[in-house]
Amino acid sequence: MFSQRQVQEFKEAFQLMDANKDGILDRNDLRATFDVLGKLANDKDLDEMLSEAPGPINFTMFLTIFGDRISGTDEEDVINNAFAQYDDGEGKCSSDKLKHDLMTWGEKFKANEVDDAFDQAPIDDGGLIDLKKFANILTRGVEEEEEGAA
């Protein structure tokens, strides 16, 4: 279901969220996680999150919940399908156009969020983004893209 790398990333996330280090995510752990992120979460929201699991949320249950949420979807395919709307016919699109649309339509991104994503984008001298490489970077990271290119 998950690659070894993904399992390791989930494990790191779980350990960061498990504030009291008891191996189980509870309401206090979730609240602490939201606090660290600067977000407010009320008891109702926290209880709804916890109710997604049939029992205590240990690491195995944590993986199961995420597996259920993403089963049947490949992030890279979803992004490639979205990017297809911008494809100039050569697998590229204008970085200015994509940036504008990300901040204007749908779930609007803030300028700094787009800038963060575009920091690693494969943009050529003409301001065009290689869409396939960019989707790969967004889903797998820069290191994996560079390994694949080598």
Side-chain angles (χ1 to χ4, degrees):
M1 177 185 300
F2 295 114
S3 70
Q4 195 63 18
R5 179 177 175 207
Q6 289 172 311
V7 171
Q8 184 59 36
E9 288 173 356
F10 280 122
K11 186 171 188 165
E12 290 172 20
F14 183 87
Q15 290 170 336
L16 288 171
M17 293 174 70
D18 186 15
N20 61 10
K21 306 300 181 207
D22 66 352
I24 303 289
L25 295 182
D26 58 24
R27 183 190 295 163
N28 292 331
D29 293 324
L30 292 179
R31 184 178 311 285
T33 300
F34 276 93
D35 289 347
V36 166
L37 296 172
K39 305 283 185 188
L40 295 176
N42 61 41
D43 286 341
K44 180 182 175 217
D45 292 337
L46 298 174
D47 289 337
E48 284 178 12
M49 287 178 216
L50 291 170
S51 73
E52 290 185 34
I57 303 176
N58 59 18
F59 181 65
T60 303
M61 182 58 65
F62 184 75
L63 279 179
T64 301
I65 291 169
F66 276 94
D68 290 345
R69 287 198 164 220
I70 65 172
S71 66
T73 62
D74 180 358
E75 290 178 347
E76 195 167 346
D77 285 344
V78 171
I79 292 172
N80 279 325
N81 288 337
F83 281 172
Q85 306 303 311
Y86 294 90
D87 192 333
D88 64 2
E90 296 182 17
K92 296 185 177 193
C93 80
S94 163
S95 58
D96 290 337
K97 169 81 171 133
L98 184 58
K99 186 174 197 173
H100 170 269
D101 287 1
L102 287 171
M103 295 187 308
T104 305
W105 308 110
E107 292 184 33
K108 297 176 184 83
F109 285 78
K110 296 177 184 159
N112 65 320
E113 293 172 322
V114 175
D115 290 341
D116 287 346
F118 277 41
D119 281 345
Q120 303 299 324
I123 302 173
D124 66 19
D125 293 337
L128 298 176
I129 298 175
D130 182 314
L131 295 172
K132 186 171 176 126
K133 285 183 181 177
F134 192 35
N136 191 311
I137 289 168
L138 291 173
T139 56
R140 298 184 187 155
V142 175
E143 300 84 18
E144 213 170 287
E145 172 62 25
E146 289 172 351
E147 288 171 10

